[in-house]
Amino acid sequence: MQNVRPKKHLGQHFLTDLSIAERIAQAVQGHGDVGCVLEIGPGMGVLTDFLLKNPMELYLIDIDSESIAYLHQKYPQLGGKIIEGDYLKENLDAVLPERYAIAGNFPYNISSQIFFRVLEERQKVTEVVCMLQKEVAQRIASPKGNKDYGILSVLLQAYYSIEYLFSVPPGVFNPPPKVNSGVIRLTRNQTEKLDCNEKLFFQVVKGGFGNRRKTLRNSLKSFQLAEEFKSHPILNKRAEQLDVADFVFLTQQIEASRGNH
Ligand code: SAH
């Protein structure tokens, strides 16, 4: 089989270190008794080889037709479970079971977008084990008060518990990326629904971090807060000082304050 030519615009950096691929595959725990894993961006299947050793059913999605042709040859037994498509756009409801885990060495250029999609699908995605740019991995796992803490940290931490597992240097990829990499695991928590208007929660988190140096009183101006609420002490804080529970409280207050207009 001819190797896939790495394409920069698809974020293709193929992992060459098998022991790292094995560690990533073994980090998938099947949390919530799910029996299925979706691998995003299998490329030439270095991680796939080890995921196939797990007892879980495996689906692959890759956007690159050259990779897809390669994977069909390498894993004829997977047949229709090899999907050519864009994870960000494809609707996989008809293909995948109701709940599943995600694994992958993500295309780094779209890793944040992948996580926004995971958030949309959070009732189905029980676990994510992935490699991505180290800074993004650290940001997602970061607690409040840290300079890395941001929108994705709060939104993902609302529904997942997050562990930073290990770091990976550029030299084990072909071609090597310019950045270091990190592997994280997200495990779905017990929160079915947050104790506030979830749509507003997402807007408040995004708005709050819109200008992270400003106090929330300033960054949330467009939410038209009621006069009584404008003097609330939580608004003296900055977004990075608030954890998920604080943002839920803030969202409840904003909702109530709007209701009083
Ligand atoms: N898992 C392989 C390849 C990682 S490179 C390895 O570890 O070696 C990232 C992979 O993601 C590439 O195969 C690329 O084609 C794929 N990819 C890029 N954008 C994608 C998208 N939007 N949806 C699905 N796969 C994508």
Side-chain angles (χ1 to χ4, degrees):
M1 274 189 292
Q2 188 155 5
N3 279 356
V4 175
R5 281 172 299 119
K7 295 164 211 71
K8 201 173 171 200
H9 71 284
L10 295 179
Q12 287 181 337
H13 296 276
F14 297 116
L15 183 62
T16 55
D17 184 323
L18 299 185
S19 66
I20 292 173
E22 183 171 26
R23 279 173 80 187
I24 297 173
Q26 285 178 349
V28 180
Q29 294 180 324
H31 167 76
D33 284 336
V34 290
C36 175
V37 188
L38 172 67
E39 184 186 352
I40 300 177
M44 287 192 284
V46 61
L47 183 57
T48 317
D49 283 342
F50 292 100
L51 288 170
L52 281 167
K53 296 187 177 166
N54 288 349
M56 297 158 85
E57 196 182 0
L58 184 63
Y59 288 78
L60 312 177
I61 182 165
D62 205 295
I63 201 170
D64 177 31
S65 54
E66 201 186 337
S67 293
I68 291 292
Y70 184 96
L71 295 163
H72 271 299
Q73 273 195 49
K74 189 172 178 189
Y75 308 111
Q77 77 276 22
L78 289 181
K81 293 180 185 163
I82 300 176
I83 302 156
E84 178 171 355
D86 180 346
Y87 170 71
L88 301 177
K89 295 186 182 148
E90 208 73 31
N91 182 344
L92 300 170
D93 287 351
V95 184
L96 295 175
E98 217 163 280
R99 293 181 321 135
Y100 52 90
I102 284 178
N105 171 11
F106 286 174
Y108 295 0
N109 50 343
I110 58 162
S111 54
S112 295
Q113 292 170 68
I114 291 176
F115 279 112
F116 281 109
R117 185 79 209 271
V118 166
L119 281 165
E120 285 170 16
E121 306 281 305
R122 61 186 177 271
Q123 304 304 17
K124 301 171 202 156
V125 180
T126 53
E127 182 181 0
V128 182
V129 174
C130 63
M131 177 149 63
L132 64 171
Q133 183 175 342
K134 184 173 178 180
E135 281 75 22
V136 182
Q138 284 174 325
R139 192 180 316 148
I140 287 171
S142 164
K144 75 170 178 183
N146 196 300
K147 70 171 173 31
D148 296 332
Y149 186 69
I151 295 171
L152 269 180
S153 330
V154 183
L155 297 180
L156 287 167
Q157 287 170 25
Y159 301 100
Y160 292 89
S161 69
I162 302 173
E163 301 157 87
Y164 186 92
L165 300 181
F166 57 92
S167 303
V168 179
V172 298
F173 296 89
N174 174 36
K178 290 202 175 69
V179 295
N180 283 306
S181 302
V183 177
I184 50 174
R185 174 168 54 214
L186 288 75
T187 310
R188 189 72 170 84
N189 63 21
Q190 301 288 328
T191 305
E192 277 279 318
K193 190 192 163 304
L194 296 174
D195 198 13
C196 64
N197 177 328
E198 288 185 308
K199 197 170 161 214
L200 187 60
F201 174 84
F202 276 61
Q203 291 166 351
V204 168
V205 172
K206 286 181 185 169
F209 281 100
N211 191 334
R212 54 190 300 141
R213 284 167 195 276
K214 285 190 182 172
T215 62
L216 290 161
R217 184 173 294 106
N218 277 312
S219 56
L220 298 177
K221 255 190 186 133
S222 63
F223 286 83
Q224 298 181 320
L225 309 175
E227 281 309 320
E228 319 79 90
F229 181 55
K230 281 185 186 162
S231 55
H232 196 289
I234 196 169
L235 296 176
N236 296 333
K237 296 192 174 192
R238 284 171 285 121
E240 64 200 43
Q241 297 173 284
L242 267 53
D243 63 14
V244 171
D246 296 328
F247 269 110
V248 168
F249 171 78
L250 181 61
T251 305
Q252 290 166 341
Q253 299 305 309
I254 290 177
E255 203 178 0
S257 146
R258 286 169 142 191
N260 291 338
H261 271 305

